[in-house]
Amino acid sequence: MKLLKLVPDDTNIRFLKLRFPFFIGSIILIAASWAMVAINGLNYGVDFAGGQEIRVTFTETAEAPLAELRSTVAGVESVGDPVVQRFGAPNEVSIRVKLPPEAEGNPEFANQMTTAIVSALEVGHPDIRIDGVDSVSGKVSGEFRQDALLALVAAMLAVALYIWVRFEWQFGAGALFALFHDVSLTLGMFALFQLEFSLQIIAAILAIIGYSLNDTIVVYDRIRENLKKFRKMPLPELLDLSVNETLARTVMTSLTLLVALLPLLLFGPASLFGMVAAITLGLFVGTYSSVYMAAPLLIWMGVTSNSFVPQETAADRQEKIARGEA
Amino acid sequence: MLEFPFWKRIWLWGITLVAVAAALPSIFSATNVAWPAQLPSPTVNLGLDLAGGSHLLLEANPQDVREQRLQNMEEAARQAMRNAEPRIRIGDVSTSNNRLSFLLNDATDVDRARGLIEPLIQGQNLTREWDLSVVDGQRMVLIPTQDGIDQALNDAMDSATEVVRRRIDELGTREPTIIRQGDARIVVQVPGLEDPEALKSLLGQTAELEFKLVDLNALPENVQAGIAPPGSEIYPYAAGSAREGSFEAVRRLGGIRGDSLTGAQAGVNPESNENVVNIQFDSQGGAKFAKLSTENVDKPFAIILDGAILSAPVFEGPILGGAAQISGSFTPDSANQLAISLRSGALPVPLAVVEERTVGPDLGADSIRRGMLAMLIGSLAVIALMVATYGRFGIYATIALGFNVMMLLGIMAGLNTTLTLPGIAGFVLTIGAAVDANVLINERIREERKRGRRVVAAVETGYKEASRAIYDANVTNFIAGVLLFLFGSGPIRGFAVVLVIGLFTSVFTAVTLTRMWVADWLRAKRPSDINL
């Protein structure tokens, strides 16, 4: 049987030739992302903004009366401007309401609003079924925001530290920068398209961090290996070689992940859509950043075979001793 | 590298089979095939977002505990001064600004008063619960210490958790989870709940019941303006009661608190056909109630629940025997709820619902169905891709993937963890990422072959060289997963759990198991070339 080869043998794409334009492009994208976050803001879901999301199915109507629902919900006292959207089938609706300012200092407020909205909905539509309710008070949503930020920053710093220990400080810094790029672009995308930003998205971003690092580590590992093997090779050339050597793996892994995620995106539960979409987006961003952010930074931070080798042999020896091979 | 001694083989297969066996009950229960009852049956718990049910986070306000303590101390201090021989006269009692202060009418009483207060402010365990100071020679100031408040809050939350548990048990739901969380919170998870609103109102009720006499001397216009005659205080009528929106002045003293109840049942008053709650007092409470009703025949008394008047009926005659009836515009449901709340005791501190997540059973089942479908299609696609690209090595990777999913499920069942909706996403991500190790290894073997190494050497080098990157990648993912678990909540934690367990199982199946199979094949067939 002839086996499939996604990447031809002996590819020699000069990725790093374009490192300056791509890197500058990336920096601009990062800046644009943060500008977008600053200007548009993130469209916080109930997890982070407080308020409620109520999912309703109309059991006897084929299509939910969105406009009417909007005015019904808006008519409930102290509900501002509700977001009423189809969610899945035409008879399924999600109603999202943010906490008004008067909820401040009253932890029960979100709960009372939920009760009021649910009973208002039930008045006109005896056939509705309440499928799900998420109601978060201002205090709890504030804690979620804080914890999420902390988790992201801690994760990035912790893994960068680990890579510093396992490789060299330049590698740690390079990986950290690549992660910063991935997280920034994901946030920018959410700000640009005003997609709902919830706890699940934080989970997705942490999954992206993990995946993007996989990529970066595979490339770095090969760079380290090649630095030892080809002491005389100029660094840009060596990086190109490393990226090309691992290209088959990168393409294959991205593809397997993609074919696993796509069915979830297409047929999976509607409430997972945002999370899976974010991970899918991160798949591309993460792969790109390991080549065009993580690798060129090594050149500019002055990695050479000489600066790297002494520490590496010591680490290698330890590794061998640990494996019982020395 | 490719040597697998006998004992190692036994271990590897042993671990694999135990984990797979642990997954079987979950798979059987998911497909509704009966699992033999005599076998142990650990199953993966389904999170509320899949099984349907309610997750509530209840929170107490520490300020409520603080105020309660001040009120209790005020009462205790008044009592002590009154009972002193000779009586110590005090005035200008105030409990504002989180402190209790009162003025001694006679400055020479200071030392006696101090002696009476000292025993009241000494807590258990030698902690000082109050700070006492004397200002301007005759004003005594008592400030609760943080230690004392913390202790009181802790005690209050412990008994609140107990009360919450009793109330939910009364609903007859199966396997609720009720856990104290942090200083002032309780997590309540009730699977498969029909009516979350009823649960919320049940838990939102402090259920502090009081009977107090209506002050007949109060002028109606003053009452509506909120001005009470001396010795009385103003209470509003409860929302939903017949006189909602109006107020009543009731006597401060001489009432009865409902903490001496022995029973409460919803019922119907045969004469008025009204929904009522029938209550029984213990002997002491019964005697007090008999005395109150005997002394006040034909006078109205207010039935006060959580600071609002339900109704203010008239004592039509002495009520003896310790049984009484609470009326107040109930529906059958609300009467039943009140009965449950009264039976399970009053909450020591009011609890607010600060987070609610409810999922209906239909939505949960739909999510599982869609998730499983996506997982199936995704797995098939990954398998097709792996086999088409790596042939025999792809088949090994695929079988390893199968074991990986089973082991992941088995370990989750064994550790009694919960599968949530994001957890399904975690499963899919694990499936997609688990083969990464095999991709790395196989690509490396290809490379080594291309460089001209012989089959066994190429395979050995492939596994050895790839394992470094696999190791580093998994450790960093592990770090991200642990942080996700620490900072995540509820369903997100479910995602982190799957991700982290999946890292371990995937390294085991994708690296160790496939290496054993490849080694077996190489030894048996001794191929001179491999199709890779």
Side-chain angles (χ1 to χ4, degrees):
Chain A
M1 191 178 80
K2 186 86 178 71
L3 294 180
L4 184 69
K5 272 212 172 116
L6 293 169
V7 177
D9 286 345
D10 301 313
T11 52
N12 187 16
I13 305 170
R14 303 293 306 274
F15 286 106
L16 290 174
K17 217 168 109 188
L18 294 171
R19 62 180 180 273
F20 283 107
F22 270 104
F23 195 84
I24 289 167
S26 300
I27 297 284
I28 292 173
L29 276 182
I30 291 175
S33 293
W34 285 107
M36 197 50 81
V37 172
I39 296 164
N40 269 7
L42 288 167
N43 178 14
Y44 285 137
V46 298
D47 292 339
F48 293 135
Q52 42 277 118
E53 182 166 5
I54 300 171
R55 285 189 58 186
V56 178
T57 301
F58 286 75
T59 54
E60 283 165 18
T61 324
E63 200 160 334
L66 293 185
E68 190 217 311
L69 282 177
R70 206 164 282 138
S71 64
T72 305
V73 176
V76 177
E77 200 185 337
S78 74
V79 170
D81 207 6
V83 180
V84 180
Q85 291 170 321
R86 259 191 57 193
F87 198 77
N91 62 337
E92 293 174 10
V93 194
S94 136
I95 298 162
R96 197 141 59 84
V97 177
K98 286 188 179 157
L99 279 184
E102 59 257 46
E104 191 92 17
N106 180 2
E108 267 288 71
F109 202 95
N111 180 33
Q112 286 158 3
M113 269 173 84
T114 309
T115 309
I117 294 169
V118 168
S119 46
L121 288 175
E122 279 169 344
V123 168
H125 303 278
D127 69 321
I128 62 165
R129 185 180 74 208
I130 306 292
D131 276 330
V133 174
D134 283 320
S135 171
V136 181
S137 72
K139 190 174 172 195
V140 174
S141 64
E143 287 172 13
F144 281 154
R145 273 202 304 272
Q146 206 179 344
D147 286 354
L149 187 69
L150 209 59
L152 285 184
V153 173
M156 288 202 280
L157 291 180
V159 292
L161 194 70
Y162 175 80
I163 291 179
W164 174 29
V165 171
R166 287 282 293 174
F167 292 80
E168 267 297 284
W169 71 266
Q170 290 98 332
F171 290 71
L176 184 61
F177 209 75
L179 292 182
F180 180 67
H181 166 265
D182 301 339
V183 173
S184 304
L185 257 57
T186 312
L187 292 178
M189 203 68 80
F190 272 82
L192 177 64
F193 294 112
Q194 288 293 297
L195 303 170
E196 188 186 336
F197 195 78
S198 64
L199 272 177
Q200 287 195 356
I201 304 304
I202 294 295
I205 293 180
L206 279 166
I208 292 170
I209 288 181
Y211 170 77
S212 164
L213 259 174
N214 268 9
D215 247 20
T216 308
I217 284 173
V218 169
V219 175
Y220 275 4
D221 182 63
R222 189 54 73 99
I223 293 171
R224 175 167 61 181
E225 194 183 320
N226 285 339
L227 276 173
K228 277 185 281 181
K229 218 190 286 178
F230 309 108
R231 306 283 309 260
K232 296 269 157 23
M233 194 185 281
L235 199 56
E237 213 173 297
L238 188 134
L239 296 184
D240 265 339
L241 176 72
S242 307
V243 173
N244 274 295
E245 280 180 349
T246 51
L247 193 61
R249 172 266 163 194
T250 305
V251 171
M252 183 66 186
T253 298
S254 304
L255 204 62
T256 53
L257 209 49
L258 197 62
V259 298
L261 287 173
L262 277 184
L264 201 55
L265 210 52
L266 298 176
F267 313 115
S271 38
L272 275 183
F273 186 86
M275 180 181 183
V276 179
I279 295 177
T280 312
L281 169 76
L283 189 71
F284 294 101
V285 176
T287 310
Y288 165 82
S289 73
S290 8
V291 176
Y292 279 108
M293 302 293 292
L297 271 171
L298 293 181
I299 306 176
W300 299 324
M301 286 187 299
V303 171
T304 69
S305 8
N306 286 332
S307 73
F308 194 63
V309 164
Q311 286 94 335
E312 180 48 31
T313 45
D316 241 17
R317 252 199 96 63
Q318 273 181 353
E319 223 173 86
K320 276 190 179 165
I321 292 165
R323 277 202 240 112
E325 289 171 9
Chain B
M1 202 64 189
L2 294 177
E3 289 300 309
F4 280 87
F6 181 69
W7 60 266
K8 199 169 175 184
R9 238 165 246 286
I10 297 285
W11 265 113
L12 294 180
W13 279 113
I15 292 170
T16 311
L17 293 180
V18 166
V20 169
L24 289 180
S26 305
I27 295 169
F28 274 90
S29 73
T31 50
N32 287 322
V33 178
W35 177 253
Q38 54 271 41
L39 292 175
S41 57
T43 48
V44 173
N45 296 323
L46 291 182
L48 294 176
D49 52 354
L50 293 176
S54 278
H55 160 105
L56 298 178
L57 186 62
L58 307 172
E59 188 180 68
N61 184 352
Q63 186 60 27
D64 288 337
V65 173
R66 212 181 270 263
E67 277 163 17
Q68 267 176 21
R69 281 175 69 74
L70 284 170
Q71 273 166 21
N72 292 344
M73 183 52 86
E74 180 194 342
E75 220 159 281
R78 278 180 191 273
Q79 190 93 37
M81 300 301 129
R82 206 180 301 134
N83 293 348
E85 206 45 66
R87 183 172 177 168
I88 301 174
R89 297 198 174 272
I90 58 173
D92 191 24
V93 184
S94 132
T95 53
S96 53
N97 295 327
N98 292 323
R99 60 175 59 197
L100 166 66
S101 78
F102 54 87
L103 201 63
L104 298 172
N105 288 6
D106 187 344
T108 55
D109 284 335
V110 165
D111 288 333
R112 280 174 60 218
R114 191 196 285 277
L116 291 169
I117 296 285
E118 280 292 348
L120 297 179
I121 65 177
Q122 193 59 51
Q124 305 127 338
N125 311 332
L126 300 174
T127 53
R128 199 170 175 77
E129 297 195 339
W130 297 79
D131 288 328
L132 171 65
S133 53
V134 180
V135 185
D136 297 340
Q138 61 191 86
R139 175 172 286 281
M140 306 202 79
V141 179
L142 283 156
I143 301 172
T145 63
Q146 196 56 46
D147 280 350
I149 288 169
D150 289 347
Q151 183 62 39
L153 181 63
N154 192 41
D155 292 347
M157 290 310 289
D158 273 343
S159 54
T161 310
E162 228 8 81
V163 172
V164 167
R165 189 185 309 281
R166 281 202 294 271
R167 288 190 189 175
I168 290 174
D169 283 346
E170 290 265 5
L171 282 180
T173 49
R174 61 201 156 87
E175 298 175 32
T177 310
I178 298 146
I179 306 168
R180 258 198 73 180
Q181 190 183 66
D183 293 336
R185 286 181 177 169
I186 302 173
V187 178
V188 175
Q189 293 186 325
V190 186
L193 188 73
E194 288 294 318
D195 186 0
E197 290 294 316
L199 175 70
K200 282 193 303 188
S201 51
L202 187 63
L203 296 180
Q205 204 165 44
T206 311
E208 196 182 10
L209 189 65
E210 291 164 294
F211 300 93
K212 288 183 172 175
L213 290 168
V214 173
D215 190 343
L216 295 170
N217 300 326
L219 297 168
E221 56 269 29
N222 280 350
V223 170
Q224 295 311 315
I227 304 164
S232 291
E233 52 197 334
I234 306 281
Y235 277 96
Y237 274 88
S241 69
R243 294 180 57 190
E244 179 178 352
S246 58
F247 298 86
E248 195 82 79
V250 299
R251 308 292 298 258
R252 234 182 228 279
L253 300 174
I256 296 178
R257 290 163 66 92
D259 49 10
S260 47
L261 293 184
T262 57
Q265 295 83 31
V268 175
N269 182 324
E271 282 160 39
S272 61
N273 222 8
E274 240 188 326
N275 291 296
V276 293
V277 177
N278 294 305
I279 56 173
Q280 293 85 43
F281 288 103
D282 60 14
S283 56
Q284 209 182 351
K288 270 201 213 164
F289 201 69
K291 184 161 176 272
L292 187 74
S293 55
T294 312
E295 287 170 0
N296 295 287
V297 173
D298 288 338
K299 288 182 188 158
F301 67 106
I303 304 172
I304 302 166
L305 181 70
D306 294 345
I309 301 175
L310 290 177
S311 62
V314 171
F315 282 121
E316 282 168 357
I319 301 174
L320 310 172
Q325 201 167 65
I326 306 173
S327 55
S329 311
F330 293 119
T331 64
D333 279 347
S334 65
N336 191 39
Q337 249 178 42
L338 178 57
I340 292 176
S341 303
L342 292 176
R343 273 203 298 275
S344 46
L347 285 170
V349 56
L351 296 175
V353 179
V354 291
E355 187 194 353
E356 179 203 352
R357 294 183 197 267
T358 298
V359 172
D362 295 312
L363 183 63
D366 186 54
S367 297
I368 295 183
R369 201 175 47 74
R370 285 163 167 270
M372 291 295 164
L373 177 73
M375 215 156 95
L376 192 71
I377 299 174
S379 309
L380 289 179
V382 170
I383 289 169
L385 203 56
M386 287 299 284
V387 175
T389 311
Y390 300 121
R392 170 180 288 274
F393 286 75
I395 294 173
Y396 288 147
T398 298
I399 300 173
L401 186 63
F403 277 120
N404 183 21
V405 171
M406 298 279 275
M407 284 182 83
L408 180 48
L409 207 58
I411 290 175
M412 285 184 71
L415 294 180
N416 206 16
T417 53
T418 302
L419 181 65
T420 62
L421 186 56
I424 290 183
F427 251 91
V428 171
L429 206 61
T430 303
I431 289 173
V435 291
D436 180 47
N438 291 111
V439 171
L440 273 169
I441 294 165
N442 295 342
E443 288 296 337
R444 194 69 195 222
I445 296 175
R446 269 186 181 175
E447 261 180 74
E448 298 299 329
R449 285 290 291 158
K450 220 163 57 193
R451 283 189 194 139
R453 278 197 210 247
R454 297 157 65 85
V455 171
V456 174
V459 171
E460 268 190 12
T461 320
Y463 270 96
K464 181 167 174 278
E465 294 295 326
S467 61
R468 207 176 40 233
I470 295 171
Y471 173 79
D472 280 331
N474 280 293
V475 172
T476 46
N477 264 317
F478 178 77
I479 294 173
V482 167
L483 287 165
L484 192 54
F485 184 83
L486 288 180
F487 294 105
S489 75
I492 301 302
R493 283 192 160 196
F495 176 68
V497 167
V498 175
L499 224 52
V500 168
I501 299 178
L503 290 176
F504 285 101
T505 57
S506 73
V507 169
F508 179 75
T509 57
V511 180
T512 312
L513 285 186
T514 61
R515 201 170 66 205
M516 180 167 73
W517 298 333
V518 171
D520 285 350
W521 172 67
L522 288 177
R523 212 188 336 270
K525 287 280 176 342
R526 302 199 177 277
S528 61
D529 193 13
I530 46 174
N531 183 16
L532 191 70

